[in-house]
Amino acid sequence: MTKYRCKICGYIYDPTKGDPPNAPPNTPFEEIDDSWQCPVCGVGKDQFEPAEDTSAIVKSYSNDEIAVIWQPALCNHNGNCWKSLGQVFDPSKRPWVNMKGADTKDIIKVVDECPTGALTWKPLDK
């Protein structure tokens, strides 16, 4: 079964997991009710597209001190980052990480709290 990605926030609908209680496991995307909305950003099904394999994708965002690395394949889109520091992490914007949105120490704190390890950071060589 094909996975589908939200074009707005990047959430991946995986039919094997579904979206309980809205779509039980093993529900193909095409069979989800048309009123269903993205559980992360709330857009409709029309904002989803077939997902590419994200296992090899790694994105990096940097300021003058650190680089924040995002691995979408590890991300479960629980919203910890954007709920904690929305001025840096905003899934409705592109790029979705604005490294000028807060002090480095605040960014590090939120990245260190990522429960999946999808967000990590490293110091930049000076």
Side-chain angles (χ1 to χ4, degrees):
M1 286 188 275
T2 303
K3 295 178 182 179
Y4 280 77
R5 182 184 69 82
C6 176
K7 294 187 270 186
I8 304 304
C9 72
Y11 169 80
I12 302 289
Y13 174 78
D14 181 346
T16 61
K17 296 176 184 174
D19 179 32
N22 303 306
N26 299 312
T27 301
F29 186 78
E30 300 79 10
E31 292 180 16
I32 299 172
D33 187 271
D34 286 340
S35 64
W36 179 83
Q37 296 178 330
C38 176
V40 174
C41 69
V43 299
K45 282 179 65 176
D46 62 328
Q47 294 298 309
F48 279 72
E49 62 189 2
E52 64 206 52
D53 178 12
T54 60
S55 62
I57 297 173
V58 176
K59 304 270 185 162
S60 180
Y61 309 90
S62 59
N63 60 19
D64 293 336
E65 301 173 283
I66 65 169
V68 170
I69 297 96
W70 179 51
Q71 298 177 73
L74 300 177
C75 189
N76 68 4
H77 305 285
N78 61 46
N80 287 3
C81 55
W82 55 267
K83 290 174 187 170
S84 298
L85 201 59
Q87 63 271 33
V88 173
F89 304 100
D90 186 344
S92 70
K93 295 189 177 163
R94 294 294 174 265
W96 78 281
V97 178
N98 172 16
M99 293 294 290
K100 295 179 181 179
D103 291 333
T104 297
K105 65 178 179 52
D106 295 329
I107 296 171
I108 289 171
K109 180 180 183 294
V110 170
V111 169
D112 283 345
E113 293 171 351
C114 178
T116 65
L119 288 172
T120 56
W121 67 274
K122 66 179 182 179
L124 293 179
D125 295 330
K126 299 268 179 178

